[in-house]
Amino acid sequence: MSLNKTFGSMLIIAGTTIGAGMLALPLASAGLGFTTATIIMIGIWALMTYTALLMLEVHQHADPSATLNTLAYELLGRKGQTIATLAMFFLFYALCAAYIAGGGSQLSEKISTWTGTTIAPQIGAVIFTIVIASVVSIGTHSVDMVNRVLFTAKVIALVVMLSLLLPYVQGQHLVEMPVEKGLILSALPVIFTSFGFHGSIPSIVRYIGIDIKALKKIMIVGSALPLTVYILWQLASQGIMGQPQLMTNSTLGAFIGSLSELLHNPIVGQSVSIFADLALATSFLGVSLGLFDFLADTLNRGNHLSGRGQTALITFLPPLAFAVFYPQGFIMALGYAAISLVILAIFLPVAMVRAQRKAQYTTNTSSGYIVKGGSFSLAIITIVGIIIITAQLLQMVGIIPTVG
């Protein structure tokens, strides 16, 4: 296997994971403290890596070009395929809504700063959506070209941002404990969503082929890179601000403003702001392109001007409506995305592996790669998935505190 392909695939996994979810981490985990937040992140990383390996176990017995819908249909039937399709729709729309809400807030604050005129977040959301929709509607090639530039700039901005922030870390902030026990449960959906990369697994398998050894390395190392970045990011954000200061910030703009004011260094705030803009833009580009192509295929829209225009409206109007009515809904939308991500990244892999192993046991044809842990591990991760969904639902009805 080409080392270049393996390395490139690791970066695809890392790039898919490190996006707008990273921006939500300081807001979602503000009341947890650095140690608690880090333990939760490591646990969720292990969970998501394990379910990625379950996906590899399923893929090894299918065609290398098989999609999640194909695998779900072959192993779980029409009902399984329908659940997978609905979960993908919900996930794509929830993520797009989160990116529009966050990007619109950021853009409106920048326009207000540049022009001296107050701009509502809703107007920023509309402008941000029109720009991204224009690039996506032109085609995949335009997204590829724009994304290459933005991703390169994002990596540079990330390095600059962390190098500026880490020298200001204070030890006493890092030993703070959760201010409220319920916040541990409340933070789970957003932190979980920040580790979502499973939508890229079929593409990686198609690119690499059924080479389990290489694919295992790609999943483990590719997902460990975001974990490292997230821990450094939490070290910087929670090491600079105490919990009371962090918890007063309900938006990205407020968090960035607090950093600049606290450190008396506008360059710090600018670096964080630039990274936030780039992370939102690259994440929104990738997710909206996936939703655009998924809708075009599902609804049989043509590749001509009229067909792409219709697909663009269906792709961008629903999440834009959410952002307009809930301009502060960045964290909320990421929490909702966690529900469908649990289905796609936990419930479906577990169900497909169970069905595949049962079929192999029945026909006495068990062979190939089998993820360790057996039925006990499958039961444990299923319970964790139920806990994450329950945490989001409990927030929705006000039983546990909301985050962000």
Side-chain angles (χ1 to χ4, degrees):
M1 177 54 58
S2 168
L3 288 177
N4 187 44
K5 274 191 173 184
T6 301
F7 180 69
S9 298
M10 290 176 184
L11 293 184
I12 290 174
I13 294 295
T16 302
T17 309
I18 302 174
M22 175 177 173
L23 305 174
L25 286 176
L27 305 180
S29 60
L32 299 182
F34 173 74
T35 301
T36 304
T38 300
I39 291 172
I40 292 174
M41 287 193 299
I42 293 173
I44 289 179
W45 165 77
L47 167 72
M48 296 298 266
T49 303
Y50 188 84
T51 59
L53 297 180
L54 292 179
M55 288 297 298
L56 297 185
E57 181 179 335
V58 172
H59 270 286
Q60 72 178 324
H61 299 292
D63 187 276
S65 62
T67 63
L68 181 60
N69 275 348
T70 304
L71 295 172
Y73 178 71
E74 291 178 352
L75 292 167
L76 305 175
R78 183 66 67 185
K79 289 183 179 179
Q81 184 185 42
T82 301
I83 292 172
T85 300
L86 292 176
M88 288 176 68
F89 269 126
F90 192 86
L91 177 64
F92 279 142
Y93 273 128
L95 289 176
C96 284
Y99 300 157
I100 293 174
S105 175
Q106 285 287 95
L107 184 59
S108 64
E109 290 181 13
K110 281 183 169 49
I111 293 175
S112 298
T113 301
W114 295 337
T115 63
T117 305
T118 301
I119 302 294
Q122 290 89 339
I123 297 177
V126 171
I127 297 173
F128 184 54
T129 303
I130 290 174
V131 172
I132 298 296
S134 300
V135 176
V136 171
S137 299
I138 292 172
T140 304
H141 180 70
S142 65
V143 173
D144 184 24
M145 293 299 102
V146 172
N147 190 64
R148 289 186 189 191
V149 175
L150 293 179
F151 186 80
T152 302
K154 182 171 76 170
V155 172
I156 296 172
L158 175 63
V159 173
V160 172
M161 178 185 72
L162 290 177
S163 64
L164 288 172
L165 289 175
L166 290 177
Y168 292 96
V169 170
Q170 299 181 42
Q172 68 266 28
H173 294 322
L174 299 178
V175 296
E176 293 175 330
M177 300 303 291
V179 297
E180 188 177 345
K181 293 296 188 292
L183 289 174
I184 296 177
L185 197 59
S186 300
L188 286 179
V190 174
I191 298 177
F192 173 75
T193 307
S194 302
F195 284 90
F197 62 87
H198 291 59
S200 301
I201 293 177
S203 300
I204 298 296
V205 172
R206 185 163 55 248
Y207 182 53
I208 296 294
I210 307 299
D211 183 340
I212 296 299
K213 183 178 180 181
L215 289 169
K216 284 174 62 179
K217 183 186 297 184
I218 289 166
M219 297 304 148
I220 295 171
V221 178
S223 60
L225 290 174
L227 174 65
T228 303
V229 171
Y230 288 168
I231 291 175
L232 289 173
W233 175 229
Q234 291 285 66
L235 181 68
S237 59
Q238 297 202 357
I240 291 173
M241 290 188 194
Q243 286 176 326
Q245 292 170 299
L246 274 172
M247 295 183 71
T248 59
N249 300 310
S250 59
T251 66
L252 288 175
F255 172 64
I256 293 169
S258 296
L259 278 177
S260 297
E261 183 178 346
L262 182 65
L263 303 180
H264 306 291
N265 187 348
I267 298 178
V268 171
Q270 291 169 9
S271 68
V272 177
S273 180
I274 290 171
F275 174 79
D277 295 340
L278 293 169
L280 286 166
T282 53
S283 296
F284 189 22
L285 269 174
V287 171
S288 60
L289 176 63
L291 177 59
F292 186 97
D293 291 340
F294 187 67
L295 286 170
D297 179 59
T298 303
L299 303 176
N300 295 317
R301 297 296 92 183
N303 200 34
H304 46 76
L305 182 62
S306 174
R308 294 189 71 81
Q310 292 172 25
T311 305
L313 290 175
I314 301 171
T315 300
F316 292 100
L317 281 183
L320 176 61
F322 173 89
V324 167
F325 288 106
Y326 299 98
Q328 308 301 323
F330 179 59
I331 303 293
M332 181 195 304
L334 286 178
Y336 287 139
I339 296 175
S340 50
L341 184 59
V342 167
I343 296 172
L344 289 172
I346 296 181
F347 293 165
L348 280 175
V350 168
M352 290 190 293
V353 162
R354 283 185 184 276
Q356 185 166 271
R357 290 178 183 176
K358 182 179 180 181
Q360 290 176 340
Y361 178 78
T362 302
T363 58
N364 197 27
T365 57
S366 179
S367 62
Y369 172 61
I370 298 178
V371 183
K372 295 180 180 179
S375 297
F376 178 75
S377 295
L378 298 182
I380 292 297
I381 62 175
T382 300
I383 292 171
V384 174
I386 294 172
I387 291 172
I388 293 171
I389 290 180
T390 302
Q392 181 59 34
L393 295 177
L394 291 177
Q395 286 184 75
M396 291 167 58
V397 298
I399 296 178
I400 60 175
T402 58
V403 293

